Amino acid sequence: MANAAGPTAPYDAFTINGYWSYGADPSNSTISLTMRGDEGFQFGAQQIGGDHYYYALVSAPTGQTLSTGTFPTTRFGDATHYGLDVFGDHVGCNTSTGSLTIHSLTRDPASKAVTSIAASFRMQDCVEARGEIRWHSDMAYVDGAQTPNSLGFATVDLGHTAPAQTVTITSSGSSALQLGAASLGGAVPTAFAITGNTCSNVTLQYGQTCTISVKGQPTAAAVQTATITIPDNSTFGKRTIDLRMTGRLGAEGTYVAEGPHRVLDTREGQGAPKAPIGSGKTLHLQLGASATSR
């Protein structure tokens, strides 16, 4: 496909992956940064013409100032942790831990407002969120968005195959997204199979896409999960696609092999009365369920 016009410096961007997957820049979202006190800010992206929204609340440790470096985080922060709270589309966490790397930062000397920032974040616990923050920054970034973010195959009878489903990955960074070879791993990778793949070992410029398709075939009557991992050149080094399916023993009959055994013996009265079959006589034999019990 033809390259879409990518972002140009200085960059305003908010990329997020994990529980959500979205790449916001001025072409698709309204991006804003609002100070919260002297040493914290709210960074947000509101989809233009749509309902998606994402926010990150960032604050320096108690009694400290915003600065460059890599820091541990909790939701509200404290004397030794930055505050980091990422939420969107009506989903957030009561508690969280993670990390924040502020690559570059400039501030207005008089108002202390953040005038530019480049940062990478990762939040975990109730949901995982990782991505990039850019506000009036010259620092390039790499990321991609997945649609859908994960694949669920619902309930599938043993011996049957769920139809393939497809994930589309779209490059959403200012620099090209370089993808490595996709692999299946996790708890039960043998319950899934990749049926189509244009994402392995490709380079995607901004707006370009690739697809990966997966089918499910349960190997047990249980919940079965797996993960597709694709190495990439983003800050976090990989993309993941979670897979889930429930195997079920269906209503179809199950064949059980039986050993050979006698079904008719008029000498013993098995399958017919215990009596000789005389000349010109007829014996009706019906074979049904096994004559032996287990």
Side-chain angles (χ1 to χ4, degrees):
M1 61 174 289
N3 291 2
T8 57
Y11 304 111
D12 292 338
F14 190 4
T15 71
I16 187 168
N17 279 286
Y19 181 83
W20 308 276
S21 189
Y22 190 70
D25 61 49
S27 72
N28 57 30
S29 303
T30 300
I31 298 175
S32 61
L33 186 151
T34 304
M35 296 300 296
R36 302 175 74 241
D38 289 340
E39 302 303 332
F41 62 87
Q42 172 183 285
F43 188 72
Q46 174 71 54
Q47 184 182 27
I48 297 172
D51 297 328
H52 294 299
Y53 66 89
Y54 306 96
Y55 286 93
L57 304 182
V58 176
S59 59
T62 306
Q64 300 182 38
T65 60
L66 294 168
S67 60
T68 57
T70 298
F71 313 98
T73 66
T74 60
R75 184 186 180 195
F76 297 113
D78 54 32
T80 58
H81 293 80
Y82 264 68
L84 174 65
D85 186 15
V86 179
F87 57 93
D89 291 351
H90 309 290
V91 176
C93 294
N94 291 326
T95 61
S96 66
T97 59
S99 64
L100 175 71
T101 298
I102 300 179
H103 305 285
S104 63
L105 173 70
T106 61
R107 307 184 67 173
D108 182 274
S111 67
K112 297 185 179 180
V114 172
T115 54
S116 72
I117 189 171
S120 305
F121 65 88
R122 183 165 192 166
M123 187 184 79
Q124 52 201 28
D125 290 337
C126 75
V127 300
E128 182 181 10
R130 59 189 185 274
E132 302 287 343
I133 290 172
R134 297 293 186 275
W135 179 250
H136 302 349
S137 171
D138 291 329
M139 183 177 176
Y141 61 101
V142 174
D143 216 332
Q146 299 168 200
T147 308
N149 200 29
S150 61
L151 297 179
F153 293 88
T155 300
V156 183
D157 288 351
L158 295 180
H160 289 251
T161 300
Q165 298 184 40
T166 299
V167 171
T168 299
I169 298 175
T170 304
S171 177
S172 59
S174 62
S175 298
L177 177 65
Q178 299 172 8
L179 299 174
S183 62
L184 265 169
V188 193
T190 55
F192 304 89
I194 296 173
T195 60
N197 178 12
T198 64
C199 291
S200 286
N201 302 311
V202 299
T203 298
L204 302 177
Q205 303 296 330
Y206 178 84
Q208 290 187 319
T209 63
C210 67
T211 59
I212 186 163
S213 299
V214 184
K215 68 178 182 180
Q217 185 168 359
T219 60
V223 175
Q224 299 192 301
T225 61
T227 301
I228 294 175
T229 300
I230 309 174
D232 69 13
N233 62 326
S234 70
T235 300
F236 303 97
K238 62 182 179 181
R239 313 201 63 75
T240 57
I241 303 168
D242 291 330
L243 312 174
R244 184 180 178 90
M245 171 177 59
T246 299
R248 177 182 65 183
L249 185 61
E252 295 179 351
T254 302
Y255 171 78
V256 178
E258 289 277 4
H261 59 269
R262 194 185 303 273
V263 296
L264 176 65
D265 190 338
T266 59
R267 297 169 301 174
E268 302 293 335
Q270 182 175 342
K274 185 178 179 180
I277 301 176
S279 176
K281 300 294 184 180
T282 301
L283 175 67
H284 296 282
L285 175 67
Q286 180 175 348
L287 297 178
S290 170
T292 61
S293 61
R294 300 187 143 217

